[in-house]
Amino acid sequence: MQLSRRALLRSGAIVAGLSLAPRVALAQSDRIESLIGRMTLAEKAGQLSCFSDLLRAPGIVFNPGAASGNTAEQLANLRAGKFGMLFNGTGVAGARTMQRMALEETRLGIPLIFAADVIHGLRTIFPIPLAEAGSFDPDLAERTARGAALESTATGIHWTFAPMVDVARDQRWGRVAEGSGEDTCLGQAMAAARVRGFQGTDLRDPTRMLACPKHFAAYGAVAAGMDYNSVDISMEMLREVHLPPFQSSFAAGALTTMSAFNDINGVPSTANRWLLTDLLRGEWAFKGLVVSDWTADEELIAHGYAADGRDAAKKAFLAGVDMSMSSNLYNLHLPALVEAGEVPVAAVDASVRRVLQLKDSIGLFDNPYRSMNAKAERTQIASPALRKLSREAGAKSIVLLRNDGALLPLKASPGRIALIGPFGDDRDNVAGAWAFMADKTIGVDLATGIRAKLANPKMLDVVKGSDVEAALPGGIDAAVAAARAADVVLLAIGETQAMSGEAQSRVAIVIPPAQQALVEAVAATGKPLIILLRHGRALALSGAVKDAPAIVATWFLGSEMGNAVADVLFGTVNPSAKLPVSFPRESGQEPYYYNHKTTGRPASGTPNEEYKARYRETTNEALYPFGHGLSYTSFALSALQMPATVPASGTLTVSATLTNSGKVSGTEVVQLYIHDRVASRTRPVRELKRFERVTLAPGATKQVRFDLTTADLQFWADDKWISEPGAFDIWIGTSSVGGLQGSVALTA
Ligand code: NOJ
């Protein structure tokens, strides 16, 4: 993976139209240099170490095998200067106590920085990032990130381990839920928006927190979607698909990143000098801090890449990991490694400088108690404004997959409704996998949200029918009876929040069999069925679930889930979200993504087509493609315009007219895709390059215009970004399938 210096220079720093402007630099300061000059090696190793907060622990243990020690030991370690950062604790009082100890009871009085996994909200939970990506609304993502920062900083957090920007093309991988889905362009826009939302423009603002795009790198490409698995990847795939969201995050001002668990082509990310130093600090000129993922340095031993803890610490550090998370390896070994001449002290100083600069960048040396305000903690958490934002974000993240016969929206008096399934009145699975610090008391279940919409709330019957993964005695009989008595049936089925997220890969991305049986029995009543899917990934739907006339992707929408779903069901909000991940026909199609290569034998989609790139049992089309999502109104695109040719130095303007051809106001996500017809590398069948949400009143029209540059037409070949003269297909559409098609020739 070594690149020549010339190749690095030639490569430029442009990805998908995004120029890598010099990012917010960490300030130099005499104060920091003087501190470094006075620090012992042990104190330096301490600043480069971080641990989960035991004093203010959220009450659940992560990675139980690795969590060690007790509160008394941690406080003793604090006094001894054994860490520079603690994470995943909340609470102003505890933060102030520990900060006072750091200032007054350690030799040098260096303030602590507090971090946490605030992925989609702290107490008020917003939709899982995957769902929110479906809004195709970076402004919304910026606002929810801002909301998460408001709550987090009110409880003493300075730094979030987010956004998660891993592109995920295999839906078996449980961590799909945490990111923006399968597409790089969408992922870039969401990543940058979230960084802006967390950080704002003034890092010293006590209501803003530092971002940490993760997991660097290619964690989303783990083989077969199994979490923590190996990554074997071409440089083309790495550069074009997996790295751009990191570049967008840094361009938006992110000053930290987290090294991933996985190896890349045989070298673990956490010991990968090419990745963490040559690329990140060299080619990209990143000036910020690299923190390892949880014990990822120690895991170099299990990878078979390091012999023991000492070797692991040395390899991770020399590769470019500034701060070690949870393993304690830097405390244990860095001083001795320096004394033995195996690690240069200048490198240790450079890492310590980054940690201190990061603290300085948010003002901790001048205002060590920033974001530790007891009044803010009382007033800023779960405020009505944040809950309103959560409801808005929830409704904007719901994808209407199918709506035959305009079954939706429901009328205010739709007759008797049976709400059947394990998620009907369940409040434990509204938040999603990364919400362990959520305020569970404010979570709104579906039944509550729906009742609030009904003229007569007694017209709703709620029947569980089945557990998530096991049948309930008499469950199906009760459900069928309720369905028979109903005019319309809502089926709230899918995955628990524990079925996605870290370490939750699935071999088959199906509705669990017990629930499938429930749906089959209810469908046999012949009543109109509306499926409300609960899920942290795309699912392979089958049988009566797949055939239901209305299907709604509702993910995990956070604190206001029930209200947000009800808003869409009753048409208070017209659905506008689009799928950020393709729904395949079968689990076995995974990894499945819209922007695949054509192959030499592309299938046409006709069933049973022999000797084509497809499986025996199914066509290879998506059941619901990336970018798909319906509205209660209809939209028409017309008048596609683009020039016949564009010079390499020029701007390519493509436009089309969008008309709301239906009867209600609505929002469409207009999407622009390209395809390079003939190139020196095989190219994806389509690649998303631009999108825009457009809201139109019935009958209204808007010309939607996109400007592209050559950077949008580039790909990675022979260690550099290139674009080649020739024809490009261009589509403007409302999903990754279909749309208005034209072509343009890029001239030399
Ligand atoms: C492990 C996860 O991979 C990472 O995303 C998270 O930030 C750390 N644990 C810290 O909790």
Side-chain angles (χ1 to χ4, degrees), residues 559-582:
S559 305
E560 289 284 328
M561 176 141 196
N563 287 330
V565 172
D567 283 343
V568 165
L569 288 179
F570 290 88
T572 320
V573 173
N574 191 347
S576 58
K578 300 283 182 168
L579 283 180
V581 281
S582 307

Side-chain angles (χ1 to χ4, degrees), residues 33 77 93 135 158 171 188 234 360 372 405 464 491 549 555 575:
E33 294 313 312
N77 287 338
S135 70
H158 305 123
Q171 303 302 308
Q188 285 182 276
S234 69
D360 200 24
M372 297 177 199
K464 199 168 178 191
L491 274 152
W555 321 98

